[in-house]
Amino acid sequence: MVSNYIREIVAERAKYLCEYCHSPEFINTDRFTVDHLIPQSLGGSDEVENLALCCRRCNERRYNFISGIDPETKQEVNLFNPRKQKWSEHFIWSLDCIKIVGITPIGRATCNRLDMNDERNGNGFIQKSRRLWVRAGWHPPQEDSCQESED
């Protein structure tokens, strides 16, 4: 477990957004967690460069995985790493800003592994939440834009 001081450094660096799904922390009922990019169970450290701010839903789905399957190519690839990669190079928002669309093998594998749009279980809760956030003007984050996608 990381200290509150380290957590605050990680949260400020992430602009208080989940570094995977870009949900803002202020609209969640739970404080975001600090995720180990290389899990401790696989030898990862508590060094700040190995930590990412993460909503509970992404953290639970990521678990201790560092790779996933790209549904398009069926190849195993590393999951998105916010310390080494830029979100906008791997993901876009659907035109209505409700779905995250992976645009690279890494993006697609991460969307799939983390079920970023709640499509596997069929309830779509995160899409319903995002729709409300869009109406309230809280979503998408300022640095993200919604774009046409094939989805």
Side-chain angles (χ1 to χ4, degrees):
M1 186 155 138
V2 300
S3 69
N4 284 334
Y5 173 74
I6 296 296
R7 187 214 180 274
E8 191 58 27
I9 290 171
V10 171
E12 281 183 24
R13 178 181 63 198
K15 299 178 186 162
Y16 300 92
L17 299 174
C18 173
E19 295 193 67
Y20 299 106
C21 73
H22 275 198
S23 292
E25 185 175 38
F26 79 92
I27 57 179
N28 282 268
T29 58
D30 290 323
R31 192 172 185 206
F32 282 1
T33 61
V34 174
D35 183 42
H36 289 81
L37 298 169
I38 298 176
Q40 290 179 307
S41 63
L42 300 177
S45 72
D46 284 338
E47 296 296 318
V48 173
E49 285 304 304
N50 189 47
L51 303 176
L53 191 66
C54 191
C55 72
R56 188 162 305 282
R57 104 179 250 293
C58 284
N59 195 331
E60 289 173 357
R61 287 168 169 88
R62 186 170 177 278
Y63 187 54
N64 70 342
F65 295 105
I66 57 173
S67 66
I69 303 296
D70 172 9
E72 190 173 299
T73 66
K74 308 297 185 219
Q75 298 294 309
E76 184 172 0
V77 298
N78 289 334
L79 296 177
F80 174 70
N81 182 327
R83 296 292 71 74
K84 296 180 179 178
Q85 297 157 328
K86 188 174 177 182
W87 195 90
S88 62
E89 292 176 2
H90 296 280
F91 308 97
I92 60 171
W93 289 103
S94 58
L95 188 58
D96 60 4
C97 294
I98 304 304
K99 288 185 176 184
I100 298 172
V101 180
I103 56 173
T104 65
I106 287 171
R108 291 187 298 266
T110 303
C111 281
N112 186 51
R113 170 67 72 194
L114 277 58
D115 192 19
M116 292 171 115
N117 298 306
D118 275 343
E119 295 174 316
R120 278 200 299 264
N121 62 16
N123 67 29
F125 286 141
I126 193 63
Q127 292 181 48
K128 292 172 187 172
S129 295
R130 289 176 187 147
R131 188 168 282 113
L132 292 172
W133 301 343
V134 167
R135 285 187 202 144
W138 299 332
H139 179 78
Q142 283 186 315
E143 61 270 8
D144 296 351
S145 62
C146 305
Q147 303 174 26
E148 291 252 16
S149 71
E150 295 176 11
D151 229 64

